[in-house]
Amino acid sequence: MKALITLGLLLVLSGCSTPPLRGTHDLGLVVERATGSVVVIETSQQSRLARIEGLGDLSHAHITYSRDGRYGYVFGRDGGLSKVDLLGQVLVRRIIQSGNAIGGAISQDGRLIVVQNYEPGGIQVFDADTLTLLSEVPSTYAPGKRAKVVGLADLPNQQFVYSLFEAGEIWLTDLSNPLRPITRRFPAGRQPYDAMVTPDGRYYIAGLFGEDALALLDLWNPEQGVRKILAGYGRGESALPVYKMPHLRGWALAGQNVFLPAIGRHEVLVASTLDWQEKARIPVLGQAVFVMAQPDGRQVWVNFAFPDNDKVQVIDVATSSVIRTLEVGKAVLHMEFTPRGEAVWISARDDNRVNVYDTRSFKHLSSLSIHQPSGVFFTHRSSRIGF
């Protein structure tokens, strides 16, 4: 009898310690950049569920997700690659795969994790289940020289595209056989620094830090090579000092237009995806960092580098004009829209908060207390190309 009672108590206690059943596409992770931790959140109730520690240097971190949204792969500045279980709310495995890394991506079939590295330079390919190293593509562009890899994005057909900063090149790697990568190289221009892929996976656009232009590669016809677009958008004017590099990964594609941050300028550029010609430039209050389109494409949200990094501006796509300026908090670093776009989550690092806003009324809905938050990553990224 005592044995049965003891067994019953153990079952009850184990049941109490198990997280409640829930779907994964309502979840996400927020990076705590100073603590080496991530916070598990859910969007419907706008709440935090757990904190997972021990992920190393997350001063610059990126997260991608498994196909089912259960596992997050966290890429840290110290070269760490961590796999976390959002449902179990635990760290599954962590490895150090390089000296300095800034991001990664997952393959179309969900079996491969690819990491882009600053040091020693190149990409490394891992098994998504075990984090076992499968292969490497060094970014050697001259004898004894490796370039920093930036702008990595996943593509259909087990391909990945990325830029080499010092080499001024874009590389396209086929990992159909992950043990034998096949790479094609394309001259791109001076110092590509970040990039985006259009949602259909066709076009790769890299910003050029060393040129007054952007580089575009048609991935359906890569043999045509890289073409320069928006050349001369500065028109000979003196650029302002760049306080923080803008990020094209904001995916600011709305309808047939793409919205891009202008380097060292207080402007957002608008170009047509039909001919990649400039259509407009929108004055904004500071140097744009992220220029991000809502899922419905009706509005574009912009955050800024110092000293304007306490504000966010909203651009109306139909009129190409700023319609709202929000004072969000100190040191806004990142924004993320809920899957259907009814709300946006904005991290304010120096306020130790993530603030949630209604995208229709711009009303402040709630705040979550999170220590020095930076990147906000929701699991619906798992079903999108280029994330």
Side-chain angles (χ1 to χ4, degrees):
M1 179 62 71
K2 288 184 178 179
L4 289 175
I5 293 174
T6 301
L7 176 61
L9 287 173
L10 288 173
L11 289 173
V12 170
L13 290 173
S14 64
C16 291
S17 64
T18 302
L21 293 176
R22 62 174 74 247
T24 54
H25 269 218
D26 194 31
L27 302 179
L29 294 170
V30 178
V31 174
E32 288 189 343
R33 60 181 289 130
T35 67
S37 306
V38 292
V39 175
V40 184
I41 56 86
E42 56 84 35
T43 62
S44 291
Q45 301 301 318
Q46 299 171 6
S47 65
R48 52 180 295 166
L49 303 177
R51 186 167 180 264
I52 302 173
E53 302 176 335
L55 278 65
D57 183 354
L58 301 184
S59 58
H60 187 296
H62 179 73
I63 299 174
T64 192
Y65 291 99
S66 59
R67 285 167 63 99
D68 60 4
R70 176 170 181 174
Y71 298 102
Y73 298 89
V74 185
F75 309 92
R77 174 64 86 179
D78 57 1
L81 168 59
S82 302
K83 181 178 180 179
V84 300
D85 183 344
L86 277 74
L87 295 182
Q89 301 174 357
V90 295
L91 173 62
V92 177
R93 190 179 179 201
R94 170 174 158 79
I95 62 172
I96 298 295
Q97 57 83 42
S98 75
N100 189 339
I102 63 164
I106 191 168
S107 61
Q108 186 179 36
D109 66 2
R111 296 180 179 180
L112 306 175
I113 296 295
V114 177
V115 188
Q116 62 178 13
N117 290 317
Y118 271 11
E119 179 61 42
I123 63 170
Q124 296 213 91
V125 184
F126 297 88
D127 179 279
D129 183 32
T130 64
L131 301 190
T132 300
L133 179 65
L134 301 176
S135 59
E136 178 184 8
V137 181
S139 56
T140 304
Y141 66 98
K145 294 184 178 180
R146 283 195 185 189
K148 299 181 185 71
V149 173
V150 294
L152 174 73
D154 59 279
L155 300 173
N157 303 316
Q158 298 295 96
Q159 296 186 97
F160 292 81
V161 62
Y162 46 99
S163 297
L164 279 67
F165 183 78
E166 291 85 357
E169 294 181 348
I170 293 172
W171 287 15
L172 180 62
T173 296
D174 188 331
L175 291 173
S176 298
N177 181 349
L179 301 180
R180 297 181 180 272
I182 299 174
T183 299
R184 301 168 68 180
R185 300 170 58 172
F186 304 91
R190 290 179 55 198
Q191 299 175 323
Y193 66 88
D194 198 7
M196 64 172 282
V197 173
T198 53
D200 57 5
R202 176 166 184 177
Y203 295 104
Y204 180 78
I205 305 170
L208 298 175
F209 188 71
E211 291 189 39
D212 197 4
L214 295 95
L216 180 143
L217 180 63
D218 183 346
L219 297 164
W220 291 4
N221 304 286
E223 67 281 353
Q224 296 177 0
V226 171
R227 140 189 194 196
K228 299 287 179 63
I229 62 172
L230 299 178
Y233 67 79
R235 293 175 183 160
E237 300 175 25
S238 297
L240 298 170
V242 178
Y243 295 109
K244 184 174 176 60
M245 293 294 286
H247 291 264
L248 297 186
R249 193 56 58 89
W251 271 52
L253 191 73
Q256 295 181 336
N257 294 330
V258 60
F259 293 73
L260 301 166
I263 298 179
R265 308 188 63 78
H266 294 181
E267 293 174 335
V268 170
L269 305 178
V270 185
S272 169
T273 57
L274 301 179
D275 57 11
W276 300 103
Q277 298 297 309
E278 181 181 324
K279 292 184 63 175
R281 51 182 63 200
I282 304 168
V284 290
L285 65 84
Q287 291 182 16
V289 177
F290 282 100
V291 178
M292 303 181 69
Q294 289 179 193
D296 63 5
R298 185 167 183 173
Q299 295 171 163
V300 169
W301 292 58
V302 186
N303 74 319
F304 303 99
F306 178 85
D308 304 296
N309 57 347
D310 60 338
K311 299 178 180 65
V312 168
Q313 288 193 308
V314 183
I315 295 171
D316 176 66
V317 169
T319 62
S320 291
S321 62
V322 174
I323 58 173
R324 187 64 61 101
T325 299
L326 301 174
E327 294 189 6
V328 176
K330 298 177 182 177
V332 171
L333 293 186
H334 195 227
M335 302 173 286
E336 181 86 328
F337 294 97
T338 50
R340 297 195 176 205
E342 79 285 349
V344 60
W345 291 47
I346 306 175
S347 62
R349 182 194 63 198
D350 293 352
D351 280 340
N352 297 307
R353 305 197 75 77
V354 173
N355 294 312
V356 184
Y357 289 85
D358 183 287
T359 54
R360 183 176 182 181
S361 66
F362 309 113
K363 178 183 177 182
H364 179 250
L365 299 176
S366 62
S367 293
L368 284 74
S369 178
I370 296 177
H371 184 69
Q372 292 196 0
S374 54
V376 182
F377 302 91
F378 294 158
T379 52
H380 69 279
R381 287 171 171 251
S382 64
S383 58
R384 302 173 67 182
I385 294 172
F387 274 83

